[in-house]
Amino acid sequence: MSDTLVRVKGVDKRFGSVAALSGAAIDLERGRIRAIVGENGAGKSTLAKIIAGILPRDAGEFVLDGAAVGPWSRRQAIAAGIGFVPQALSFVATLSIVDNHLLAGGGLKLDRDGALSQLQKVAADMDVSLDMTSPVERLSLAGRQLGEIVSAVAAGARILLLDEPTSALGPVEIERLIRTIRRLASGGTSVALVTHRIAEVMEGADDITVLRGGKVILDGATAGLDANEVARLMVGDRDRGRATRLAATSDWQRLKVSSLTLRDKDQLVLDDISLAVRQGEILAIAGVAGVSQPALAEALAGLRGMDSGRVDVDGADVTGDPARSTRLGLAFIPENRADGIVSDLTISENASLFEMRGKAFRRFLGTRDRSAEHDHGKRIIADFDVRPPDPEAISGGLSGGNQQKLLVGRELARAPGVIVAHGPTQGLDLAAAASIRAALTKAAADGAAVVVISADLDELLELGHRMIVLTNGRVVAEFDLARPVDMTLLGQAMMGLNTMETAQ
């Protein structure tokens, strides 16, 4: 009997005009752990979800137990013994592990005592101690992660796909998880570990697949591999053809962050973050996507209180005070556009949300000036190519890309002094993305302090004067983008291999 349980070859997957996978290939073998690594957007999770039956492939071969597989669903994958634990854990927080297990299993007759006994046996075999009957929300993050793995194995998983299982865990929890995965593999389970942490790959995985831009760059055994070379392969060479950007010359720190620390239950989300952004400067923030980036973006905008630390805009404390940060001229472009656009309002109303109290938008006795709102909506439509070009169109009916252009246009139209942009060009075509990058660059040239947090490393290298790398809630490196960037050092910092000593 062949030890190859799953073989995919020549797999393509597109999302609109974006090629998430191009000719991807991978083997998952009995009793072996395969790491699937790559930077944000490399196609790691897409490949795992295709194997798990969550996403359909556009082209390519899928062989399971030596037999070719046609169209593939999640139900078929579960029946074939393919378990999947997503990065955003799927258990219902108010239910216990056993109840979540029963909920996922379905069926008309539920045997709670039998399910509990089965889960406890699997946990014992994995050398894991978990409370199976209390609500999941009472467990630590590591406990919830292990609970989902136990549930998948108890459901009959012989192939286990783990999507970024350690992204929010500390060193002790990571060691425990790797030990658990190793025990599963020794019992014959095939494990695919989607991750960005090179150290744990070298410790826990037998084989490795490196993806970059949807293509397999490296495929082979981890034995003998150098971690620094893997990091370099993940990010590639981004220096060639990049324009040199002059450093900002002003000393005026329009945005200052001092010792921000945030805990969420057992997890340290932000760990003593300090930074400053000067007038005319664009600070690029890189790092593998996780909980720290959105938490930092919200903290900078005053939307999230901290356990300790302070955020200042033009010398005024705005920590946990979004209204004050807005009054002081801070513009915020959230990662999720639904957090910034009111879908039931028109384009002109969304465009004018922060202007409606101004005299220019008020008539006699303080009533709203609809014509002023209409004209303001027209200007943003024209400046940012929002479609349809109708200020009275309902915003919820716009495409995602056009909602993003409306959101960015509204924020930048206020001529803000500080801009915090989290994923400002996501969902946009090349022309629209280029126009927004140009607008952010112009805002900095006009005197704004700009922070750009993005999963797109090329975007950060193009826009920034400086770059910091946020890994596991800490600033681990800083790069002066006026000089060529050592991509090996950048890759090492993003993967947690080095700290501030690597900064240029």
Side-chain angles (χ1 to χ4, degrees):
M1 179 184 295
S2 172
D3 283 334
T4 301
L5 302 181
V6 169
R7 170 167 290 169
V8 296
K9 184 177 180 182
V11 168
D12 295 343
K13 180 63 182 178
R14 300 186 71 88
F15 296 101
S17 61
V18 177
L21 292 172
S22 300
I26 194 171
D27 286 355
L28 302 181
E29 298 180 350
R30 188 189 325 273
R32 293 182 71 84
I33 301 171
R34 175 172 290 276
I36 306 174
V37 303
E39 63 172 321
N40 298 319
K44 311 184 297 295
S45 295
T46 299
L47 181 57
K49 287 176 181 178
I50 286 173
I51 297 171
I54 296 169
L55 291 174
R57 64 192 185 277
D58 296 335
E61 302 175 19
F62 189 147
V63 177
L64 177 68
D65 295 327
V69 173
W72 188 238
S73 70
R74 181 70 192 120
R75 185 175 295 276
Q76 289 173 300
I78 292 172
I82 299 179
F84 178 74
V85 178
Q87 181 177 6
L89 298 179
S90 60
F91 275 178
V92 179
T94 54
L95 298 182
S96 65
I97 293 176
V98 65
D99 291 332
N100 271 286
H101 180 73
L102 289 168
L103 181 65
L108 297 177
K109 185 178 180 181
L110 302 180
D111 181 2
R112 194 172 191 277
D113 289 340
L116 177 59
S117 176
Q118 184 182 28
L119 288 167
Q120 289 173 333
K121 181 181 184 304
V122 170
D125 290 343
M126 292 169 55
D127 195 24
V128 169
S129 177
L130 289 170
D131 183 348
M132 301 290 181
T133 58
S134 294
V136 168
E137 62 189 359
R138 296 183 188 174
L139 299 177
S140 68
L141 187 61
R144 281 175 269 169
Q145 187 87 57
L146 289 169
E148 295 219 14
I149 294 174
V150 168
S151 176
V153 174
R158 59 197 179 101
I159 301 162
L160 190 59
L161 307 168
L162 307 178
D163 192 1
E164 297 284 6
T166 63
S167 61
L169 301 184
V172 174
E173 291 87 357
I174 291 172
E175 183 180 348
R176 180 187 183 196
L177 180 63
I178 293 294
R179 187 169 61 247
T180 300
I181 292 171
R182 267 284 173 218
R183 184 179 291 269
L184 285 171
S186 68
T189 302
S190 174
V191 181
L193 179 65
V194 175
T195 184
H196 63 272
R197 292 186 173 179
I198 301 299
E200 67 198 34
V201 167
M202 308 311 289
E203 175 189 352
D206 303 300
D207 306 298
I208 186 170
T209 297
V210 179
L211 287 168
R212 189 172 74 232
K215 298 180 179 179
V216 174
I217 303 299
L218 174 70
D219 184 83
T222 56
L225 277 181
D226 177 68
N228 293 330
E229 176 62 12
V230 173
R232 188 194 67 78
L233 288 170
M234 287 172 60
V235 299
D237 182 6
R238 308 291 180 87
D239 286 340
R240 289 174 291 183
R242 181 182 173 273
T244 299
R245 185 177 299 283
L246 297 177
T249 57
S250 173
D251 291 328
W252 181 16
Q253 295 181 350
R254 303 205 67 172
L255 177 66
K256 185 176 181 181
V257 175
S258 305
S259 301
L260 283 188
T261 298
L262 173 66
R263 287 186 175 275
D264 184 3
K265 295 181 180 178
D266 60 315
Q267 182 182 1
L268 187 59
V269 178
L270 297 176
D271 184 3
D272 195 27
I273 301 290
S274 294
L275 57 88
V277 190
R278 295 170 292 167
Q279 179 186 35
E281 183 179 35
I282 300 177
L283 176 67
I285 300 182
V288 177
V291 295
S292 297
Q293 287 90 340
L296 179 59
E298 291 171 4
L300 297 181
L303 289 166
R304 192 161 183 172
M306 296 288 108
D307 292 328
S308 61
R310 173 170 166 155
V311 178
D312 287 277
V313 170
D314 288 342
D317 185 2
V318 299
T319 312
D321 192 342
R324 190 176 196 206
S325 69
T326 300
R327 286 196 305 272
L328 290 170
L330 184 143
F332 180 49
I333 301 166
E335 181 182 31
N336 183 357
R337 64 179 66 95
D339 293 335
I341 293 292
V342 183
S343 61
D344 292 337
L345 298 184
T346 65
I347 290 176
S348 63
E349 288 170 330
N350 267 296
S352 306
L353 277 178
F354 296 111
E355 315 293 345
M356 288 181 178
R357 292 186 178 182
K359 291 182 179 179
F361 287 77
R362 289 287 166 177
R363 293 184 183 276
F364 182 65
L365 297 179
T367 58
R368 286 170 58 186
D369 187 342
R370 301 280 187 171
S371 64
E373 294 174 14
H374 182 89
D375 291 343
H376 188 61
K378 283 178 65 176
R379 285 192 294 272
I380 288 180
I381 285 171
D383 290 346
F384 289 87
D385 190 30
V386 179
R387 302 178 189 181
D390 176 9
E392 304 314 312
I394 298 299
S395 300
L398 304 181
S399 69
N402 280 291
Q403 288 182 359
Q404 185 74 7
K405 288 188 282 186
L406 171 58
L407 170 60
V408 174
R410 180 192 70 204
E411 295 299 311
L412 299 189
R414 298 191 287 126
V418 175
I419 301 167
V420 177
H422 191 182
T425 64
Q426 60 182 340
L428 301 183
D429 58 38
L430 292 176
S435 70
I436 286 177
R437 289 176 188 141
L440 290 170
T441 301
K442 183 179 184 302
D446 290 342
V450 182
V451 175
V452 179
I453 304 172
S454 177
D456 186 338
L457 191 55
D458 289 316
E459 177 170 80
L460 295 176
L461 290 168
E462 177 184 337
L463 282 174
H465 295 96
R466 286 186 298 128
M467 176 188 288
I468 62 172
V469 180
L470 189 66
T471 300
N472 301 329
R474 297 176 55 243
V475 176
V476 298
E478 180 175 332
F479 296 86
D480 179 0
L481 298 185
R483 297 186 291 169
V485 175
D486 185 323
M487 298 307 296
T488 298
L489 293 183
L490 177 56
Q492 290 170 353
M494 291 181 66
M495 302 310 130
L497 294 177
N498 279 309
T499 57
M500 288 297 291
E501 286 72 25
T502 67
Q504 298 179 337

